[in-house]
Amino acid sequence: MRQGAHAPARPVRFCAVTDNFQELRRKIAEVSDLAHASSILGWDQQVMMPPRGAAGRAEQMATVGRIAHLKFTDPEIGRLLDELAPTFESLDPESDDWGLLRLARRTYDKAVQVPTELRVEMARAAAEANPVWMEAKATSNFELFLGPLERNVELRRRYIECFPKMDEPYDVLLDDFEPEMRSADVTRIFDEIKAELVPLIAALRDREVDDSFLFGHFPLDRQVALDHEVVDMFGHRPDSWRIDPTEHPFASGAGIDDIRITTHYYEDSLKSLFSTMHEYGHGLYEHQIPRRFAHLPIGQGASLGLHESQSRMWENLVGRSMPFWRFLYPRVREVFPEQLGKVDVDRFYAAINRVQPSLIRIRADEVTYGMHVILRFELEQDIVNGRVELSDLPTRWAEKMDEYLGVEVPDDANGVLQDTHWASGLIGYFSTYLLGTVMSVQIWEKAQEDVPDLEDRIGRGDFATLREWLGDNVHAYGRKYSPQETLRRIVGTGIDAKPYLAYLEKKYGAAVTA
Amino acid sequence: MRQGAHAPARPVRFCAVTDNFQELRRKIAEVSDLAHASSILGWDQQVMMPPRGAAGRAEQMATVGRIAHLKFTDPEIGRLLDELAPTFESLDPESDDWGLLRLARRTYDKAVQVPTELRVEMARAAAEANPVWMEAKATSNFELFLGPLERNVELRRRYIECFPKMDEPYDVLLDDFEPEMRSADVTRIFDEIKAELVPLIAALRDREVDDSFLFGHFPLDRQVALDHEVVDMFGHRPDSWRIDPTEHPFASGAGIDDIRITTHYYEDSLKSLFSTMHEYGHGLYEHQIPRRFAHLPIGQGASLGLHESQSRMWENLVGRSMPFWRFLYPRVREVFPEQLGKVDVDRFYAAINRVQPSLIRIRADEVTYGMHVILRFELEQDIVNGRVELSDLPTRWAEKMDEYLGVEVPDDANGVLQDTHWASGLIGYFSTYLLGTVMSVQIWEKAQEDVPDLEDRIGRGDFATLREWLGDNVHAYGRKYSPQETLRRIVGTGIDAKPYLAYLEKKYGAAVTA
């Protein structure tokens, strides 16, 4: 007997596709869960863990990371992606499924190029380099760090060799942090910026601005309360956010409803307030990712650069703007009457926007900041291309600091050893800081176009408008598209330094002419 | 040509065994890392996580738990264990390797009996039952909880069916919490205790003891400081411990160097101090596990019962003893002069040891505590054997409370709904509380035998002697042996209720006669 001869035709192929898709989603959701678990382990490590837990934690994180990598590079995922290729072609590129398949294909194809052993070795070398770097920085002794740095660089060279040849070997590293961005694009943008910034900085550097009142005594408890107040005004929801003190500020968490930002309080300055606004921007991006993306790799910011566009926006375009300070300053003066009682909002605004070339990137003002990043981007390319001996880095660093910012580097702690990135193996990361800053102005201008009275609203303490605009126009895409495609969908064009340079010129150039 | 004809004989079998052992260690260390990662995710969930993170966290923990279970039940582990069977036979049972192979074999053989799907369903049913239980407890409505409870019980029945038939079906559940203990053993011990406790409680219940000064106003900041002071005296090391406030006190962590205990502060009483001493006992056990066991499943306490022996020891045998209070009381009176200024140490000691039958297990005194546990153990057996309809539980609960403690149960919140265990699917857990209490006295007596002036030392504030004795004589075994074998190695015999009953008689019976 032939069974089911009269049964309705079953859409077998469609079902198979659907099953494959369900299976792929299940598999990558698992990897996404592991990534969130890692993220909490990492947060705990920096914020909560008793110090002697470090060795055990390194093992736990290595194990979770290794399993996540093995699960993601499982050939079964490759098979599912291959079988889903016709589906992908037939999908509407506006659909979430298209975005998910695009991202999964791209990250899978990259991940399988790299042997697990190399990945494990890179992680271990970074873990070993970090404490050496800390000691080298503490004693300002670059020699000490040279060996671990050589090891990290050598492993990155081996990493680059895993991939098909690109125009520049550095492109491979850059792509990990800012997907589909090429060294040549970044060089073009950075050269354009450099040509304007160097003379602008030279013109601004001797301008007299009194910011002495920003240094003094700002009691910690009042700073903590003020930071929370500001973030509450921005739209922090304590049922899904945490704010904690740490040595180095960062944003982390485990998805939409578990956002964690940290800050470092200094008793003698207000800088934690700006760093908190910065991390708020990162946190808000992850918090406003559409709920239907939760659990999936598209459920996160599109790139480090776009992430930085959000943090720099809240820190600078909101947090160092006159409308914002007209609104907030009375309250800040009330909190710190001893320090600010006699300072009016114009003097305060001038002080927090004072341009002064200095040694340390993370303390740099809005104008000089870019040059710190460009310097690192250029040195990284020289490193990867073997155009600089690692032992010569301190000298090259000092030369560039003198050329770009006119400052003299007194020692390596205040020079080449200041940032953790190279110790952590994060070569290729730095440029995203400036790319993000550039994009922040493009996005800000688009927001102003859509909401012409945006600055007035901020001046009235209405942050919901900006927050919701960002949710609808930026965060809504998650990681569905490449970073530059995401930007095009937000502002209509790719990355462009002109709005950023015009913004700096308008905000700071006027002061030069004045 | 025959290669290597003259090469020295290579001990192939030995090498293969060693390789197998290395491979087994590597595989189970991975599972151990995942268990520690889970533990930190669980701690974070209860102590740090913003509430809305709950759904995501449940997924993350389910994923990590599922992977750990799959990795541990990997047939490759079975193969390695089979191949290592001759090695195991040849090993010295005193050796760590013997203990590791014993534990791995036993836990593997148990784990592979249970289909992953059932395990996932059990975890999910518990996760779903918990919020229902919370609401049922808040509204004192047992009916609401009946459905989820039935589901949990039904899944436990299916779980029991996965295993070869034992004397009592309940044995399967008990073994998960107190390995190799059988219902019949527990019944024998508990019946012996019950026979003595019921009349002792009846005799003590009407004794007049003034403990009114234990209820009043104990400012939280001073309680927090005092708790830390006491735990510091006991031997807390801030480089490897954390103490945090939570809704429900617990001990957790991620191994020897990352110990986390929590407590709940009540403004109107000192009970957090006793709960902190209790959790300290748990924490110390994990902290003093030999460092060479780190990363391995033998690197933890031998069972819940033995764990409880440690917590009850620090809470009661130290923390409610006269020598301890002669030492500590002056300091406590100094911290809370308003409450305790006019109370001498004898009155204080009598008050903290007041025996009074009451409704809630976790608030019970040393004497009545056991009856709360016995009641639950008996009901659980009735449940598993189908001797009680779940809908009749409130009635049965009330009857037993009347019979054992002479208290009337006013509502389900103060009765059958008070504990989270059944909502969390932890049927078989309760008896370990009393088994641990029983063992705590056996171990305490052995410690006194070895260190005859132990109580004098505690009376002088020397806690290092006890701490080190426990490290050398209890914690040193980790989980190398079965719980009862561990106890035999500590005290020379298996579990025995007599020392516990003699202790209660000596401490409390005297008061009856007086």
Side-chain angles (χ1 to χ4, degrees):
Chain A
M1 196 184 92
R2 203 169 142 253
Q3 283 195 336
H6 297 286
R10 199 163 157 249
V12 174
R13 274 195 65 189
F14 180 71
C15 269
V17 165
T18 306
D19 287 353
N20 277 340
F21 204 10
Q22 283 308 104
E23 180 62 8
L24 181 72
R25 283 179 75 110
R26 197 192 59 73
K27 279 181 172 287
I28 56 185
E30 198 175 30
V31 176
S32 181
D33 282 340
L34 291 175
H36 282 152
S38 273
S39 169
I40 294 299
L41 293 174
W43 178 87
D44 181 89
Q45 182 181 39
Q46 291 190 66
V47 188
M48 293 293 155
M49 187 185 73
R52 285 169 61 96
R57 181 58 49 85
E59 296 288 346
Q60 295 144 25
M61 292 180 70
T63 293
V64 174
R66 190 175 53 243
I67 293 171
H69 184 248
L70 285 170
K71 288 212 167 265
F72 186 59
T73 54
D74 178 358
E76 179 63 12
I77 289 194
R79 190 193 63 78
L80 290 166
L81 286 167
D82 288 346
E83 292 195 8
L84 286 164
T87 315
F88 177 65
E89 294 302 326
S90 70
L91 281 171
D92 179 357
E94 303 299 314
S95 69
D96 297 342
D97 288 346
W98 185 92
L100 178 60
L101 282 175
R102 181 202 72 84
L103 181 63
R105 178 87 253 177
R106 187 172 204 282
T107 41
Y108 175 81
D109 287 347
K110 280 195 72 175
V112 293
Q113 308 289 324
V114 186
T116 304
E117 291 66 39
L118 178 57
R119 232 170 243 287
V120 170
E121 222 173 324
M122 284 163 72
R124 188 180 301 123
E128 286 168 4
N130 236 299
V132 182
W133 164 72
M134 275 192 263
E135 166 145 22
K137 185 177 172 181
T139 56
S140 200
N141 178 358
F142 181 74
E143 288 295 311
L144 194 61
F145 180 53
L146 193 54
L149 177 62
E150 275 166 355
R151 176 89 182 120
N152 277 347
V153 170
E154 189 243 317
L155 287 167
R156 261 70 208 163
R157 290 228 176 83
R158 279 174 52 197
Y159 179 79
I160 291 169
E161 280 162 18
C162 297
F163 294 90
K165 202 165 154 36
M166 299 181 81
D167 294 342
E168 285 280 337
Y170 186 83
D171 286 350
V172 174
L173 305 183
L174 185 60
D175 192 273
D176 281 351
F177 302 101
E178 197 64 19
E180 299 181 39
M181 184 66 81
R182 297 289 165 262
S183 311
D185 303 324
V186 179
T187 302
R188 184 179 46 73
I189 297 161
F190 283 9
D191 282 349
E192 187 180 350
I193 293 170
K194 190 158 71 169
E196 298 246 356
L197 277 194
V198 173
L200 181 61
I201 291 165
L204 286 167
R205 62 175 304 142
D206 296 321
R207 197 173 50 127
E208 298 263 323
V209 175
D210 173 23
D211 63 358
S212 56
F213 47 84
L214 292 181
F215 306 92
H217 184 64
F218 298 89
L220 290 187
D221 55 338
R222 288 192 249 162
Q223 283 199 57
V224 173
L226 179 66
D227 270 24
H228 277 81
E229 203 177 314
V230 169
V231 170
D232 282 352
M233 286 189 308
F234 281 178
H236 154 263
R237 288 162 46 180
D239 63 355
S240 37
W241 290 61
R242 286 191 62 89
I243 308 176
D244 295 274
T246 40
E247 186 58 32
H248 301 287
F250 67 97
S252 176
I256 298 163
D257 288 317
D258 189 349
I259 303 295
R260 304 179 181 205
I261 64 176
T262 75
T263 194
H264 186 93
Y265 295 103
Y266 300 86
E267 191 118 32
D268 64 352
S269 97
L270 272 181
K271 60 186 154 188
S272 88
L273 181 57
F274 294 93
S275 122
T276 302
M277 293 192 282
H278 180 98
E279 303 305 337
Y280 173 79
H282 284 305
L284 186 67
Y285 194 174
E286 297 294 323
H287 185 55
Q288 295 201 131
I289 295 287
R291 200 160 284 276
R292 66 186 192 279
F293 295 175
H295 239 349
L296 292 173
I298 53 172
Q300 56 182 318
S303 69
L304 285 176
L306 272 158
H307 242 295
E308 202 68 13
S309 80
Q310 300 305 289
S311 54
R312 300 285 287 175
M313 182 180 293
W314 286 93
E315 177 191 356
N316 291 330
L317 295 160
V318 175
R320 290 185 204 271
S321 75
M322 190 49 118
F324 176 69
W325 282 106
R326 278 205 216 288
F327 167 74
L328 189 70
Y329 190 62
R331 176 68 188 131
V332 175
R333 191 151 62 167
E334 195 176 280
V335 175
F336 303 109
E338 305 86 346
Q339 284 285 140
L340 303 172
K342 294 189 176 135
V343 178
D344 69 15
V345 68
D346 291 314
R347 278 180 64 208
F348 182 81
Y349 175 80
I352 61 167
N353 285 298
R354 181 185 178 194
V355 176
Q356 190 182 38
S358 64
L359 290 161
I360 306 295
R361 176 184 62 87
I362 58 167
R363 294 192 213 131
D365 59 79
E366 259 187 299
V367 178
T368 59
Y369 185 84
M371 293 315 299
H372 289 269
V373 176
I374 291 172
L375 175 154
R376 285 155 179 77
F377 171 71
E378 292 174 348
L379 285 182
E380 283 188 346
Q381 292 195 95
D382 288 349
I383 290 169
V384 170
N385 287 311
R387 290 191 296 253
V388 63
E389 290 291 328
L390 294 181
S391 55
D392 287 340
L393 275 179
T395 315
R396 296 288 292 274
W397 187 283
E399 287 167 6
K400 279 185 185 278
M401 284 301 282
D402 179 47
E403 184 187 344
Y404 294 164
L405 291 167
V407 293
E408 196 181 323
V409 179
D411 53 35
D412 294 337
N414 286 290
V416 67
L417 288 174
Q418 67 184 266
D419 285 311
T420 178
H421 301 62
W422 294 345
S424 306
L426 301 174
I427 301 171
Y429 187 124
F430 279 118
S431 62
T432 66
Y433 291 127
L434 185 52
L435 296 172
T437 306
V438 165
M439 292 190 281
S440 75
V441 181
Q442 292 180 268
I443 297 170
W444 180 251
E445 292 196 345
K446 176 65 178 164
Q448 283 186 308
E449 210 179 295
D450 288 359
V451 187
D453 63 343
L454 182 63
E455 292 199 331
D456 290 345
R457 285 170 184 260
I458 286 171
R460 294 196 301 270
D462 164 10
F463 304 102
T465 302
L466 174 60
R467 210 174 61 227
E468 285 162 17
W469 186 90
L470 290 170
D472 294 342
N473 295 280
V474 179
H475 309 160
Y477 296 114
R479 200 168 199 151
K480 271 173 72 173
Y481 304 109
S482 74
Q484 286 306 301
E485 173 61 19
T486 306
L487 183 67
R488 259 185 296 275
R489 283 167 182 264
I490 302 166
V491 304
T493 66
I495 188 165
D496 180 3
K498 285 185 193 64
Y500 164 66
L501 292 170
Y503 159 78
L504 290 184
E505 182 60 37
K506 187 177 165 207
K507 182 166 177 181
Y508 296 94
V512 183
T513 338
Chain B
M1 196 184 88
R2 201 170 143 252
Q3 283 197 334
H6 296 286
R10 199 164 157 246
V12 173
R13 274 193 66 189
F14 181 71
C15 267
V17 164
T18 306
D19 287 354
N20 277 339
F21 203 12
Q22 282 308 105
E23 180 63 7
L24 181 72
R25 282 180 74 109
R26 197 192 59 72
K27 279 182 171 284
I28 56 185
E30 198 175 31
V31 176
S32 181
D33 282 341
L34 292 175
H36 282 154
S38 273
S39 169
I40 294 299
L41 293 174
W43 177 88
D44 182 89
Q45 181 180 40
Q46 291 189 65
V47 188
M48 293 293 156
M49 185 186 74
R52 285 167 62 94
R57 181 58 48 86
E59 297 288 346
Q60 294 143 25
M61 290 180 71
T63 292
V64 174
R66 191 175 52 245
I67 292 171
H69 184 247
L70 284 170
K71 288 212 166 267
F72 187 60
T73 55
D74 179 358
E76 179 64 10
I77 289 195
R79 189 192 65 76
L80 289 166
L81 285 168
D82 289 345
E83 292 195 9
L84 286 164
T87 315
F88 178 63
E89 294 302 325
S90 70
L91 281 171
D92 179 357
E94 303 299 315
S95 68
D96 296 344
D97 288 348
W98 185 92
L100 179 60
L101 282 176
R102 182 204 71 85
L103 181 64
R105 179 87 254 178
R106 188 172 205 281
T107 42
Y108 176 81
D109 287 346
K110 281 195 73 172
V112 293
Q113 308 288 325
V114 186
T116 304
E117 291 66 38
L118 177 56
R119 233 171 241 287
V120 170
E121 222 173 322
M122 284 163 72
R124 189 182 300 124
E128 285 168 5
N130 236 301
V132 182
W133 164 72
M134 275 192 263
E135 167 145 20
K137 184 178 172 181
T139 56
S140 199
N141 178 359
F142 180 76
E143 288 296 309
L144 194 62
F145 180 53
L146 193 55
L149 178 61
E150 275 166 355
R151 176 92 182 117
N152 276 349
V153 170
E154 190 242 317
L155 287 167
R156 259 71 208 163
R157 291 228 176 82
R158 280 174 52 197
Y159 178 78
I160 291 168
E161 280 163 18
C162 297
F163 294 89
K165 202 165 153 38
M166 299 181 82
D167 293 341
E168 284 281 335
Y170 186 82
D171 286 349
V172 173
L173 304 184
L174 184 60
D175 192 272
D176 281 352
F177 302 102
E178 197 63 19
E180 300 181 37
M181 185 66 81
R182 298 289 165 262
S183 311
D185 302 323
V186 179
T187 302
R188 185 179 45 73
I189 296 160
F190 283 10
D191 282 350
E192 188 181 349
I193 293 170
K194 192 159 69 169
E196 298 244 359
L197 278 194
V198 172
L200 181 62
I201 291 165
L204 287 166
R205 64 175 302 142
D206 295 322
R207 201 171 48 126
E208 298 263 322
V209 176
D210 174 23
D211 64 356
S212 57
F213 47 84
L214 292 181
F215 306 93
H217 184 63
F218 298 89
L220 290 186
D221 54 339
R222 288 192 249 161
Q223 284 198 57
V224 173
L226 179 65
D227 271 24
H228 278 79
E229 204 177 313
V230 169
V231 170
D232 282 352
M233 284 189 309
F234 281 178
H236 154 263
R237 288 163 44 180
D239 63 355
S240 37
W241 289 63
R242 286 191 61 90
I243 308 176
D244 295 274
T246 41
E247 186 57 32
H248 302 287
F250 67 96
S252 175
I256 298 163
D257 288 319
D258 189 350
I259 303 294
R260 303 178 181 208
I261 64 176
T262 75
T263 194
H264 186 92
Y265 295 102
Y266 300 87
E267 190 119 33
D268 64 353
S269 96
L270 273 181
K271 59 188 157 189
S272 87
L273 181 57
F274 294 93
S275 119
T276 302
M277 293 191 281
H278 180 99
E279 302 306 337
Y280 173 78
H282 284 304
L284 186 66
Y285 195 173
E286 297 294 323
H287 185 54
Q288 296 202 132
I289 295 286
R291 201 160 282 278
R292 65 186 192 279
F293 295 175
H295 238 349
L296 292 173
I298 53 172
Q300 57 182 316
S303 70
L304 285 176
L306 273 158
H307 242 296
E308 203 68 12
S309 80
Q310 300 304 290
S311 54
R312 299 286 285 176
M313 182 180 295
W314 286 93
E315 178 192 357
N316 292 330
L317 295 161
V318 175
R320 289 185 206 272
S321 74
M322 190 47 118
F324 176 69
W325 284 105
R326 279 205 216 285
F327 167 74
L328 190 69
Y329 191 61
R331 175 69 188 131
V332 174
R333 193 152 61 167
E334 191 177 283
V335 175
F336 303 110
E338 305 86 346
Q339 284 286 139
L340 302 173
K342 293 190 179 131
V343 179
D344 67 17
V345 69
D346 292 313
R347 279 180 65 207
F348 183 81
Y349 175 79
I352 61 167
N353 285 299
R354 181 184 179 196
V355 176
Q356 191 181 39
S358 63
L359 291 162
I360 305 295
R361 177 182 61 86
I362 58 169
R363 293 192 214 130
D365 58 78
E366 258 187 298
V367 178
T368 59
Y369 184 83
M371 294 314 300
H372 289 270
V373 175
I374 291 173
L375 176 154
R376 286 156 178 77
F377 171 70
E378 292 174 348
L379 284 181
E380 283 188 346
Q381 292 197 95
D382 289 349
I383 291 169
V384 170
N385 287 312
R387 291 192 296 253
V388 61
E389 290 291 327
L390 294 180
S391 56
D392 287 339
L393 276 178
T395 314
R396 295 286 292 272
W397 187 283
E399 287 167 4
K400 279 185 185 278
M401 284 301 281
D402 181 44
E403 184 188 342
Y404 294 163
L405 291 167
V407 295
E408 196 181 322
V409 179
D411 54 34
D412 294 337
N414 287 288
V416 67
L417 289 174
Q418 66 185 267
D419 285 310
T420 178
H421 301 62
W422 294 346
S424 306
L426 302 173
I427 301 171
Y429 187 123
F430 279 117
S431 61
T432 65
Y433 291 127
L434 185 51
L435 296 173
T437 306
V438 165
M439 292 190 283
S440 76
V441 181
Q442 292 180 268
I443 296 170
W444 180 252
E445 292 198 346
K446 177 65 178 161
Q448 283 185 309
E449 210 179 296
D450 288 359
V451 187
D453 63 342
L454 182 63
E455 293 200 329
D456 291 345
R457 285 170 184 259
I458 287 172
R460 294 196 300 269
D462 163 11
F463 303 102
T465 302
L466 175 60
R467 209 174 62 226
E468 285 162 17
W469 186 89
L470 291 169
D472 294 341
N473 294 279
V474 179
H475 309 158
Y477 296 115
R479 201 170 198 149
K480 271 173 73 174
Y481 305 108
S482 75
Q484 286 306 302
E485 173 61 19
T486 306
L487 183 66
R488 257 187 296 276
R489 283 168 181 263
I490 302 166
V491 303
T493 66
I495 188 165
D496 180 2
K498 283 183 195 66
Y500 164 65
L501 293 170
Y503 160 77
L504 289 184
E505 182 61 35
K506 186 177 167 204
K507 181 166 177 182
Y508 296 95
V512 183
T513 337

